[in-house]
């Protein structure tokens, strides 16, 4: 009986040590995170209100250069250039960019479902993540055709027309700066226009999308989740 108990204890210890090893080596780093935030702000191309971001009438016309932690930014149909996410971290507080849709749009003040929630938010200059705790959520796609570019709530094109990379999860080479971790991307179309070509033989690396829609640079990135998206 004593030998059996010792054997069971050895198995428990071995499993615990394996768990520690796998955790430290990022075997459990790809997870679907569901962030919660306390504050809401609004972004709408062409808004003519005060620009406070407090409702759809007074929405920001683009994402502000500095984003607030613990905040969800609802973004309406429109074109919004590119963005670098480099906001100072405050503990594990998230910043969420969420496409407004008819069933989820925050406040009703100034809301118009036809012009703000039925189309697509387009980022034409790529997205670059340099800090932690961001979610970008397009909220919708065509479940019957995952390659339907126009059906995604958010579309991201690369910063240089159809060349370059549309989404970069970054780190600084040769520095002691931490990698961008805790990044969640959902319901996004990521890549250049359909039929983009670069004029070099098939099989060689092409700087044009569709074969470089997404890139993680350097480092040891952890807790990255990409789902319900079309990368091309």
């Amino acid at each position: 009986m004593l030998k059996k108990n010792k054997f069971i204890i050895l198995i428990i210890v071995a499993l615990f040590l394996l768990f520690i090893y796998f955790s430290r080596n990022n075997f459990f780093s790809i997870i679907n995170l569901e962030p919660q935030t306390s504050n809401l702000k609004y972004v709408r191309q062409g808004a003519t209100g005060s620009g406070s971001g407090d409702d759809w009438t007074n929405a920001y016309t683009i994402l502000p250069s500095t984003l607030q932690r613990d905040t969800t930014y609802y973004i309406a149909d429109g074109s919004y250039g590119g963005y670098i996410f480099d906001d100072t971290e405050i503990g594990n507080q998230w910043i969420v960019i969420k496409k407004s849709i008819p069933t989820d749009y925050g406040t009703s003040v100034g809301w118009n479902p036809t012009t703000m929630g039925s189309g697509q938010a387009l980022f034409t200059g790529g997205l670059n993540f340099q800090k932690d705790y961001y979610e970008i959520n397009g909220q919708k796609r065509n479940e019957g055709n995952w390659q339907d570019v126009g059906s995604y709530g958010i579309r991201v094109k690369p910063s240089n027309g159809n060349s370059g990379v549309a989404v970069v999860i970054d780190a600084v080479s040769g520095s002691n700066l931490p990698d961008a971790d805790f990044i969640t991307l959902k319901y996004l179309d990521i890549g250049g226009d359909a039929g983009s070509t670069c004029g070099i033989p098939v099989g060689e690396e092409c700087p044009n999308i569709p074969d470089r829609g997404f890139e993680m640079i350097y480092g040891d990135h952890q807790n990255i989740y990409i789902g319900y998206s079309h990368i091309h």
Side-chain angles (χ1 to χ4, degrees):
M1 184 68 177
L2 183 61
K3 287 184 177 179
K4 183 177 180 180
N5 289 340
K6 286 183 176 179
F7 180 70
I8 293 173
I9 291 172
L10 285 173
I11 290 177
I12 293 172
V13 171
L15 290 173
F16 177 75
L17 291 174
L18 282 172
F19 176 81
I20 296 298
Y21 172 79
F22 289 144
S23 297
R24 290 181 175 178
N25 287 275
N26 302 322
F27 282 79
F28 306 124
S29 64
I30 307 300
I31 60 176
N32 182 2
L33 301 166
E34 294 294 343
Q36 302 295 318
T37 64
S38 302
N39 307 300
L40 299 178
K41 291 289 185 179
Y42 301 88
V43 182
R44 176 170 66 90
Q45 181 186 17
T48 57
S50 67
S52 66
D54 291 338
D55 53 50
W56 291 112
T57 299
N58 299 298
Y60 303 119
T61 56
I62 59 174
L63 281 175
S65 58
T66 300
L67 301 176
Q68 299 176 21
R69 290 284 168 182
D70 195 27
T71 300
T72 292
Y73 291 80
Y74 280 99
I75 187 166
D77 306 352
S79 182
Y80 296 98
Y83 200 84
I84 296 175
F85 295 91
D86 58 357
D87 305 282
T88 301
E89 294 139 2
I90 303 175
N92 61 353
Q93 292 184 7
W94 286 78
I95 293 171
V96 177
I97 311 299
K98 184 181 285 189
K99 176 63 180 68
S100 60
I101 58 175
T103 56
D104 185 8
Y105 53 85
T107 182
S108 60
V109 177
W111 169 250
N112 183 327
T114 303
T115 60
M116 301 179 192
S118 61
Q120 188 174 68
L122 172 64
F123 288 93
T124 58
L127 302 179
N128 184 294
F129 297 89
Q130 298 181 1
K131 296 288 186 179
D132 301 350
Y133 297 104
Y134 293 99
E135 177 179 288
I136 314 298
N137 188 348
Q139 297 219 84
K140 65 173 185 171
R141 68 174 177 177
N142 180 355
E143 294 297 341
N145 179 9
W146 296 349
Q147 296 184 10
D148 182 357
V149 170
S151 70
Y152 286 84
I154 293 176
R155 172 156 159 67
V156 187
K157 292 182 62 175
S159 57
N160 186 20
N162 282 319
S163 63
V165 182
V167 172
V168 175
I169 297 179
D170 215 342
V172 180
S173 177
S175 78
N176 60 358
L177 296 177
D179 307 322
D181 302 319
F182 293 92
I183 309 296
T184 299
L185 307 175
K186 294 180 178 181
Y187 295 98
L188 308 182
D189 181 86
I190 301 172
D193 293 331
S196 302
T197 60
C198 60
I200 64 174
V202 174
E204 296 185 21
E205 183 176 358
C206 176
N208 289 26
I209 305 303
D211 61 344
R212 291 188 66 210
F214 174 82
E215 185 172 47
M216 287 197 293
I217 297 180
Y218 311 120
D220 180 21
H221 301 281
Q222 300 182 53
N223 297 295
I224 309 298
Y225 174 82
I226 304 171
Y228 307 97
S229 296
H230 178 219
I231 304 174
H232 55 99

